[in-house]
């Protein structure tokens, strides 16, 4: 059959994403992917420089995605199928352009780990993420903020005349447009993927890209890459070079042979062909290769410990086999960002498909022989020169305008194109995509005035790039403008000026709680800097500001609809945590008592209830909360709060399996 592109519907058990968190994401980015500063001293100079290049301060202007739960129902998902007589790729344009499935028709094998469920979990930079398939991670260290967001999608004539699917969007953390072109040459076993990231600005831009491929995991599956060493990153915030395949007496190229979750960033020689493969006991599996610009390769394993196994169960259906991740990126490690000059672009070609090799060589003790066998089989079925030629052919049609629209993304790109007048052939950001979230910013752009909402609602998202901040500074100083200006100044690192903007807005604001909450966050942040208030005093002041903000929100909220419920839940969570930190259990109890029952019943608030009961001295009631069972749907990757609260409650009893999400060895 000739290559075809068609729209279809994929039905999966899925938990709804829910609304975004309306509180601006002022808190700093850190967590499990942060590297201890002292660890940088032992790294190669270029690696240390790229690790220190333009790290994120916050995930602004994006909003946190934490409104999902774990109640899955059969859900129809829009999908695009690209198919020839050898391969069938199923793409989810509404969920970051994820390739859900890659099915090899002659053998009947699924080459990816195709998750039979869609369960959001707190792994993306801004929250919601789900496992499985092939995802496109752009922006900054971590899973992209677009993991659960729609991309634009269209049919474009491909290099050989067959239809090609183009995905594109405006990545907002780095303010950069990108595209992903997918096509299947007639009769080919390999899906071709052309990627381009453009910098339309008159300034340098930090760029991050890792293609993340979920593959089936079992005891006889081995991951092979052209390297004798790797940079190991666990969850102890250290990066160190280790031997491949054996490290600490264990062959780490088998994902099930590690006890705890870990990253292995392979040290691929600069002149070597870039590839990585996951092959089962019979020597069959998936291979990914690319042109040389995409030089990084990585293995991520969950480990066989209780925490890793629990996460695997958490992300899918009971009884589903586990998975590992093989990845390809622009740098040697995912802790690095690469500089893209003004007006320039990065582009490369990736290829995905089946590979079969001699299992005796693949699984033998001679690592060099296993690599040579895999590399030789790859060269036989897909020569390196053919990949380079396919890249050159694709570049000639990378600017071709879409022929048929398949799906729509956000309106943020259209707003930026209107502001800048940028010419981006091949990736149209049409004004018809502008929506309610862009409307006030479009008016600011055209009139210099940020409009006041016609009804009382939680504030919309803030734009924080320098040009928008400049517009806010020259706009009339209305309370809502001062609120957004303060958020933009905070994102730029000018915390003192942000506080002044919020305080100015507070004097005349009919809606005080958004400003009070921002001031509470600022109060806590000040305690962590030299010259800041002592921690107990800062905690007390922040708690009072939070409590005042929550009181104001409760007086102002109009209903229990989606937006007000999201605002109430988000602010209540921060308020209770601040009050507990300040030792004000009674006030924290008053906040919880004012929540709607549906919110109080969420797992996050059951955990807060247990913490509050401990603070109140009722350990039996706190134990009953754990014994009754709850699930914190938005538990963060690497978060050890469940174990810490359990230890405080029991004094050392073993943590029950259902609450064990630890991704590193337990601390003494």
């Amino acid at each position: 059959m000739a290559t075809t592109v068609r729209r279809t519907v994929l039905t999966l058990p899925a938990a709804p994403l829910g609304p975004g968190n309306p509180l601006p994401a002022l808190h700093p980015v850190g967590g499990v992917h942060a590297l201890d500063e002292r660890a940088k001293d032992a790294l190669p100079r270029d690696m240390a420089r790229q690790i220190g290049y333009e790290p994120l301060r916050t995930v602004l202007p994006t909003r946190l995605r934490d409104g999902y739960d774990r109640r899955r129902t059969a859900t129809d998902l829009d999908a695009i199928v690209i198919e020839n007589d050898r391969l069938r790729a199923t793409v989810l344009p509404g969920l970051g352009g994820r390739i859900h499935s890659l099915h090899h028709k002659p053998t009947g094998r699924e080459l990816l780990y195709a998750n039979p469920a869609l369960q959001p979990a707190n792994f993306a930079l801004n929250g919601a993420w789900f496992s499985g398939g092939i995802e496109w991670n752009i922006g900054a260290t971590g899973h992209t903020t677009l993991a659960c967001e729609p991309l634009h999608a269209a049919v474009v004539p491909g290099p050989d005349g067959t239809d090609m699917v183009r995905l594109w969007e405006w990545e907002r953390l780095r303010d950069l447009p990108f595209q992903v072109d997918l096509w299947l040459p007639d009769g080919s076993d390999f899906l071709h993927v052309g990627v381009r990231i453009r910098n339309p600005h008159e300034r340098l831009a930090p760029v991050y890209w890792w293609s993340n491929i979920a593959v089936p995991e079992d005891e006889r599956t081995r991951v092979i890459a052209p390297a004798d060493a790797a940079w190991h990153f666990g969850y102890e915030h250290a990066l160190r070079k280790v031997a491949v395949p054996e490290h600490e007496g264990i062959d780490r190229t088998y994902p099930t042979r590690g006890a705890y979750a870990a990253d292995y960033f392979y040290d691929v020689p600069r002149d070597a062909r870039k590839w990585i493969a996951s092959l089962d006991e019979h020597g069959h599996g998936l291979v990914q290769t690319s042109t040389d610009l995409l030089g990084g390769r990585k293995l991520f394993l969950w480990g066989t410990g209780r925490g890793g196994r629990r996460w695997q169960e958490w992300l899918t259906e009971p009884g589903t086999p586990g998975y590992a991740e093989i990845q390809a990126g622009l740098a040697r490690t995912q802790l690095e960002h690469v500089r893209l000059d003004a007006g320039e672009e990065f582009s490369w070609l990736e290829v995905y498909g089946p590979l079969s090799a001699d299992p005796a060589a693949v699984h033998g003790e001679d690592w060099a022989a296993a690599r040579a066998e895999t590399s030789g089989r790859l060269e036989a079925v897909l020569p390196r020169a053919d990949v380079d030629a396919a890249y050159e052919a694709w570049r000639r049609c990378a600017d071709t305008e879409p022929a048929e629209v398949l799906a729509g993304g956000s309106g943020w790109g259209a707003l930026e194109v209107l502001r800048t007048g940028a010419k981006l052939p091949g990736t149209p950001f049409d004004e018809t995509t502008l929506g309610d979230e862009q409307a006030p910013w479009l008016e600011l752009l055209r009139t210099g005035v940020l409009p006041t909402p016609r009804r009382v609602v939680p504030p919309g998202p803030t734009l924080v790039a320098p040009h928008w901040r400049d517009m806010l500074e020259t706009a009339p100083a209305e309370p809502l403008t001062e609120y957004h200006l303060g958020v933009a100044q905070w994102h730029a690192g000018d915390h003192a000026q942000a506080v002044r903007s919020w305080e100015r807005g507070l004097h005349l604001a009919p809606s005080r709680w958004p400003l009070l909450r921002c001031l509470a966050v600022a109060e806590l942040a000040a305690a962590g800097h030299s010259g800041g208030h002592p921690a107990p005093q800062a905690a007390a002041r922040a708690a009072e500001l939070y409590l005042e903000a929550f009181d104001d929100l409760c007086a102002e909220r109009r209903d229990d609809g989606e937006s007000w419920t999201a605002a109430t839940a988000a602010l209540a969570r921060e308020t209770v945590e601040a009050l507990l930190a300040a030792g004000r259990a009674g006030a924290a109890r008053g906040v919880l008592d004012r929540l709607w029952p549906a919110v109080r019943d969420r797992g996050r608030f059951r955990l807060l209830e247990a913490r509050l009961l401990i603070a109140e001295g009722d350990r039996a009631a706190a134990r009953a909360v754990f014994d009754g069972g709850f699930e914190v749907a938005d538990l963060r990757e690497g978060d050890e709060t469940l174990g810490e609260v359990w230890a405080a409650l029991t004094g050392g009893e073993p943590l029950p399996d259902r609450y064990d999400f630890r991704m590193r060895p337990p601390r003494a």
Side-chain angles (χ1 to χ4, degrees):
M1 62 178 289
T3 299
T4 60
V5 173
R6 58 185 170 87
R7 282 182 282 193
T8 188
V9 173
L10 180 67
T11 302
L12 292 176
L17 286 168
N21 186 326
L23 306 185
L26 303 177
H27 298 287
V29 175
V32 297
H33 301 293
L35 185 65
D36 190 299
E37 285 297 321
R38 292 170 297 180
K40 295 179 183 178
D41 296 339
L43 300 179
R45 185 174 300 176
D46 62 331
M47 182 184 290
R49 183 174 61 251
Q50 291 191 155
I51 289 174
Y53 175 49
E54 293 291 332
L56 284 185
R57 291 190 178 95
T58 72
V59 297
L60 291 166
T62 64
R63 291 189 139 180
L64 298 180
R65 275 280 199 178
D66 58 6
Y68 50 87
D69 57 34
R70 293 186 54 78
R71 292 171 292 185
R72 297 195 285 264
T73 58
T75 303
D76 290 340
L77 305 172
D78 290 334
I80 300 169
V81 173
I82 313 165
E83 184 172 15
N84 65 8
D85 59 350
R86 309 287 296 175
L87 206 62
R88 181 172 61 247
T90 304
V91 184
L92 303 177
L95 293 164
R98 182 83 58 104
I99 297 178
H100 171 74
S101 167
L102 197 59
H103 179 77
H104 188 232
K105 296 162 83 171
T107 60
R109 287 192 287 117
E110 173 57 51
L111 302 179
L112 305 174
Y113 169 75
N115 197 333
L118 198 163
Q119 176 56 60
N122 195 354
F123 279 72
L125 284 163
N126 64 334
W129 171 87
F130 63 102
S131 64
I134 304 172
E135 62 176 304
W136 319 111
N137 287 308
I138 181 173
T141 299
H143 292 283
T144 177
T145 60
L146 295 167
C148 292
E149 301 298 328
L151 302 190
H152 301 282
V155 175
V156 180
D160 56 358
T162 59
D163 284 342
M164 178 169 70
V165 172
R166 174 163 299 160
L167 306 166
W168 73 98
E169 221 348 320
W170 196 282
E171 200 286 312
R172 302 178 66 209
L173 292 182
R174 302 305 194 182
D175 217 13
L176 301 175
F178 73 99
Q179 72 188 73
V180 178
D181 289 353
L182 312 168
W183 80 98
L184 271 173
D186 282 346
S188 175
D189 285 294
F190 293 94
L191 177 68
H192 291 54
V193 182
V195 182
R196 176 165 63 167
I197 303 170
R198 292 188 269 198
N199 180 5
H201 307 294
E202 297 179 356
R203 54 175 170 77
L204 299 174
V207 172
Y208 173 93
W209 182 281
W210 282 82
S211 301
N212 185 357
I213 310 137
V215 291
E217 168 206 77
D218 61 49
E219 294 179 356
R220 292 289 292 165
T221 295
R222 192 177 204 186
V223 172
I224 304 176
D228 290 316
W231 293 92
H232 170 267
F233 184 80
Y235 286 79
E236 296 85 18
H237 307 294
L239 187 65
R240 55 198 173 98
K241 200 169 189 178
V242 300
V244 173
E246 191 170 296
H247 167 49
E248 296 180 340
I250 299 173
D251 188 335
R252 306 289 178 168
T253 61
Y254 291 88
T256 59
R257 296 186 184 178
Y260 291 95
D263 298 325
Y264 290 91
F265 300 103
Y266 294 110
D267 196 20
V268 179
R270 189 178 300 274
D271 60 349
R273 183 176 184 180
K274 308 303 186 286
W275 57 269
I276 189 167
S278 174
L279 304 177
D280 66 16
E281 61 181 317
H282 305 294
H284 303 313
L286 173 90
V287 66
Q288 187 270 3
T289 188
S290 70
T291 48
D292 287 351
L293 182 65
L294 199 71
R297 293 298 185 274
K298 169 194 163 181
L299 163 65
F300 167 76
L301 54 91
W302 282 103
T304 57
R306 291 199 309 165
R309 293 299 97 188
R310 183 71 179 110
W311 272 120
Q312 294 250 35
E313 296 166 0
W314 185 257
L315 293 167
T316 187
E317 297 277 67
T320 302
Y323 73 96
E325 293 172 358
I326 58 175
Q327 303 187 22
L330 282 174
R332 272 176 291 182
T333 75
Q334 289 177 327
L335 306 179
E336 301 169 68
H337 300 99
V338 182
R339 187 180 73 179
L340 180 58
D341 291 334
E344 298 297 321
E345 63 181 52
F346 287 142
S347 65
W348 64 89
L349 180 74
E350 304 181 46
V351 182
Y352 297 82
L355 189 70
S356 293
D358 178 8
V362 167
H363 297 285
E365 294 184 4
D366 188 336
W367 174 242
R371 287 167 39 200
E373 166 66 12
T374 308
S375 177
R377 294 298 180 105
L378 172 59
E379 187 66 20
V381 296
L382 185 65
R384 185 178 188 177
D386 287 1
V387 174
D388 292 338
Y391 168 72
E392 295 300 332
W394 166 70
R395 287 293 292 133
R396 291 192 290 272
C397 60
D399 285 349
T400 303
E401 295 298 332
E404 176 192 354
V405 174
L406 299 174
S410 78
W412 296 113
L415 184 65
E416 291 301 325
V417 168
L418 284 172
R419 186 192 65 80
T420 63
K423 305 300 181 184
L424 300 168
T427 55
F429 292 96
D430 195 89
E431 288 187 43
T432 59
T433 62
L434 293 167
D436 292 343
E437 289 191 331
Q438 292 82 42
W441 300 96
L442 182 61
E443 186 164 338
L444 175 65
L445 177 65
R446 288 175 170 169
T447 69
V449 177
L450 191 71
T452 301
R454 296 176 181 176
R455 59 190 181 92
V456 178
V457 292
T462 303
L463 296 184
V464 297
H467 41 269
W468 293 107
R469 189 172 72 248
D470 291 345
M471 278 187 265
L472 289 168
E473 287 177 346
T474 57
E478 298 296 331
L480 183 61
T481 304
E482 295 288 0
Y483 161 80
H484 285 297
L485 175 58
V487 174
Q489 291 164 333
W490 183 272
H491 172 264
D494 192 350
H495 290 189
Q497 190 59 54
V499 168
R500 284 192 285 272
S501 296
W502 291 327
E503 288 176 342
R504 282 197 306 268
L506 194 61
H507 293 303
L508 298 175
S511 180
R512 293 168 51 84
W513 65 267
L515 294 152
L516 289 165
R517 181 264 178 178
C518 289
L519 290 169
V521 174
E523 191 69 53
L524 288 177
H529 296 80
S530 59
H533 302 297
Q537 296 175 16
R541 278 189 285 270
E544 190 59 38
L545 287 165
Y546 264 123
L547 188 57
E548 188 179 352
F550 189 75
D551 288 343
D552 188 70
L553 182 148
C554 290
E556 182 181 75
R557 65 188 178 190
R558 296 295 187 263
D559 52 45
D560 58 354
E562 187 176 81
S563 62
W564 283 110
T565 298
T568 302
L571 185 57
R573 172 181 170 179
E574 292 188 14
T575 302
V576 170
E577 290 175 344
L579 290 167
L580 287 174
R584 297 183 59 183
R589 173 62 63 193
V591 171
L592 285 182
D593 286 346
R594 279 183 284 172
L595 293 178
W596 291 301
V599 174
R600 283 195 66 170
D601 288 343
R602 296 178 186 176
R604 173 62 62 182
F605 289 96
R606 299 301 296 153
L607 177 59
L608 284 174
E609 174 72 18
R611 291 175 57 191
L612 177 55
L613 287 166
I614 293 172
E616 292 172 333
D618 194 344
R619 305 178 76 83
R623 178 62 182 258
V625 172
F626 275 86
D627 291 344
F630 60 89
E631 294 182 315
V632 182
D634 63 331
L635 187 70
R636 184 68 177 168
E637 174 190 12
D639 189 338
E640 298 182 355
T641 303
L642 283 167
E644 292 166 355
V645 175
W646 177 261
L649 177 62
T650 67
E653 288 185 28
L655 183 64
D657 285 352
R658 68 180 302 171
Y659 300 121
D660 192 349
F661 293 88
R662 292 173 293 191
M663 300 179 76
R664 61 179 178 175
R667 289 175 290 183

